[in-house]
Amino acid sequence: MTIPDLSQLDAADPLAHKREAFELPADTIYLDGNSLGAMPKAVPARLHEVVTGEWAQHLIRSWTRNAEAAQDWMALPDRVSVKIARLIGARPDEVAVGDSTSVNTFKVLAAAVRMNAQRPVLLTDAENFPTDLYVTQGLNALLGGTLEIRRVPADEIAAHPEQHLTPEVGVLLLTEVDYRTGRKLDMGQITAQAQAQGILTVWDLAHSAGAFAVDLNGCHADFAIGCGYKFLNGGPGAPAFLFVAQRHHDAAPSFLSGWMGHADPFEMAREYVPAPGARRYVVGTPQVVGLSALDTALDVFADVDMGQLRAKSLSLTDTFIALMEPLTGQYPLELVTPREPEQRGSQVSYRHPQAQEVMKTLIERGIVGDFRTPDILRFGFTPLYHSHADVGRAVEGIRAVLEAGPHEQTTRA
């Protein structure tokens, strides 16, 4: 494998200037933005204004104050929806922002299951992210155990759709990018295969949105959910989002029918009338502080060409794989992320028998990735703030830790 020229790659990087938009510790190579994105520099000033101005000085008037200038709290979910919609190939009225990824998963799964109530099977990846599996189990318990939760490895579903996308399946829940391996599924192909059999699709975009362009409408997806604090950089616990295709708005029930999803919340009507579009899936009072941070964080994407973002993501991960290749021959490292670019998200993972100890030592040295049970070393690459030089320094740090052994204390990278 050819070793790339890192300085040449960085010199040609059209997104290099975006690094200045983020607060990054000088002594850290941060490769965990797929768990918690770095903080955009504009966020603290926005939060200061929200807390000391909008809350402290204007108090309850801030809910509807200065709507003409798009500063009212009530419309925050809608303003953030517009920004997220662009990144995931959706219309703004198909996106609702608020609550957590788990709660939004429940909302869309409950709607999809009801829409295909005559089909008793909910099919999902056997190794899906735990919250996806837990929510299916909780929903099934609420429904009295009437669902069959069928768990099949996602690669098996993709490879043998004729065996798994069968008439009894009503809903298919998959994560586009596997949280452990970084394997990326073909959303368009799988969605088409499922829908040809009358199956509704629910896509988890937790490791997709903000890492590369997603095209939900181009793929004709039915439902999706996603996270605000990973590649979208909205801060710890940032509000999540959901997507409901416009064609389903009238048929997909909102079982968590809260006040903020009403067509006219301040009418205080005693019967629920859903708001138009995806706004009906907003349940409770907007999380003003968290939404304000996410709103500002999303501004870093305003002038970003998503094609360039994807190209840089692949360049960073290609470079990491190439530089790590010699280490896989010297140490018990096994690449588990696909080499094929179209099958890869924006992370690279390796198996190692002492993965937990290795990662602990790497973090002590200032190379921050993460460990996933039982034996995965996971490294996330965020095109907006990583350089190829970062990749090179990270690999040198990994080499030093592997040479010394994971339990050795060494100086910071």
Side-chain angles (χ1 to χ4, degrees):
M1 182 174 289
T2 303
I3 302 300
D5 184 328
L6 305 186
S7 60
Q8 186 176 18
L9 289 170
D10 283 337
D13 176 12
L15 298 177
H17 66 288
K18 281 295 178 181
R19 185 185 183 96
E20 292 305 311
F22 292 88
E23 194 69 52
L24 295 166
D27 59 350
T28 299
I29 301 171
Y30 187 65
L31 301 178
D32 208 7
N34 49 336
S35 278
L36 175 65
M39 185 183 72
K41 290 178 179 177
V43 168
R46 171 70 179 279
L47 294 184
H48 183 267
E49 172 57 25
V50 169
V51 173
T52 64
E54 296 173 14
W55 179 13
Q57 299 301 317
H58 299 287
L59 295 165
I60 200 168
R61 290 171 293 178
S62 290
W63 283 111
T64 55
R65 173 180 173 267
N66 206 2
E68 296 80 8
Q71 293 174 356
D72 59 318
W73 291 347
M74 191 62 69
L76 257 174
D78 303 312
R79 292 201 298 274
V80 177
S81 293
V82 171
K83 296 178 182 181
I84 292 177
R86 172 181 170 265
L87 305 181
I88 61 173
R91 294 164 45 102
D93 68 344
E94 295 175 315
V95 179
V97 180
D99 301 309
S100 67
T101 309
S102 299
V103 172
N104 286 333
T105 302
F106 180 89
K107 293 177 194 175
V108 298
L109 282 179
V113 166
R114 172 58 65 87
M115 290 171 66
N116 255 356
Q118 75 282 7
R119 293 170 171 241
V121 174
L122 192 161
L123 177 63
T124 191
D125 181 3
E127 300 300 326
N128 212 337
F129 190 74
T131 200
D132 296 65
L133 300 177
Y134 300 162
V135 170
T136 65
Q137 294 160 23
L139 177 61
N140 192 29
L142 180 65
L143 297 175
T146 57
L147 285 175
E148 177 192 338
I149 310 300
R150 187 174 294 174
R151 293 166 52 175
V152 176
D155 291 338
E156 280 293 308
I157 296 172
H160 303 288
E162 73 286 351
Q163 295 180 20
H164 303 294
L165 302 178
T166 48
E168 71 276 14
V169 177
V171 178
L172 174 64
L173 168 63
L174 292 176
T175 299
E176 186 183 21
V177 175
D178 185 275
Y179 76 101
R180 299 155 308 155
T181 67
R183 182 264 297 121
K184 179 178 178 290
L185 294 172
D186 187 331
M187 181 190 295
Q189 178 176 311
I190 294 174
T191 296
Q193 292 168 336
Q195 291 175 345
Q197 303 303 318
I199 300 167
L200 292 168
T201 58
V202 178
W203 287 95
D204 184 334
L205 306 179
H207 292 274
S208 305
F212 52 83
V214 178
D215 190 6
L216 290 173
N217 279 326
C219 293
H220 206 63
D222 297 298
F223 300 92
I225 48 92
C227 179
Y229 57 79
K230 293 182 171 62
F231 288 106
L232 297 183
N233 309 303
F241 66 88
L242 64 80
F243 161 89
V244 179
Q246 186 184 43
R247 64 187 179 276
H248 294 318
H249 285 177
D250 292 335
S254 175
F255 289 111
L256 291 178
S257 45
W259 184 40
M260 288 296 162
H262 193 279
D264 188 356
F266 291 103
E267 183 187 2
M268 303 295 181
R270 294 299 179 260
E271 298 298 327
Y272 178 75
V273 177
R279 177 69 193 224
R280 70 189 62 188
Y281 303 103
V282 175
V283 178
T285 305
Q287 304 137 286
V288 171
V289 176
L291 275 169
S292 296
L294 177 58
D295 185 32
T296 299
L298 288 167
D299 287 341
V300 300
F301 289 97
D303 61 347
V304 170
D305 181 304
M306 298 303 286
Q308 291 179 346
L309 191 80
R310 177 60 168 162
K312 183 176 177 182
S313 167
L314 292 175
S315 181
L316 291 168
T317 52
D318 277 339
T319 299
F320 187 71
I321 291 170
L323 295 179
M324 288 286 289
E325 189 73 13
L327 300 185
T328 62
Q330 297 175 266
Y331 303 99
L333 286 170
E334 177 192 355
L335 176 67
V336 295
T337 301
R339 293 180 181 273
E340 297 79 5
E342 67 278 4
Q343 296 179 24
R344 190 190 319 142
S346 202
Q347 68 181 59
V348 180
S349 298
Y350 292 85
R351 285 197 174 92
H352 188 283
Q354 293 178 284
Q356 189 168 20
E357 294 84 357
V358 169
M359 185 54 68
K360 180 177 183 293
T361 306
L362 285 171
I363 292 171
E364 289 169 351
R365 289 177 53 88
I367 301 169
V368 181
D370 62 16
F371 161 75
R372 285 294 177 262
T373 184
D375 58 358
I376 297 288
L377 294 164
R378 187 175 77 160
F379 304 94
F381 296 89
T382 304
L384 293 181
Y385 54 78
H386 281 137
S387 67
H388 294 82
D390 291 330
V391 174
R393 287 192 293 270
V395 172
E396 286 308 306
I398 294 168
R399 181 193 305 275
V401 168
L402 294 175
E403 286 177 351
H407 298 292
E408 296 295 327
Q409 296 297 313
T410 55
T411 57
R412 293 177 69 83

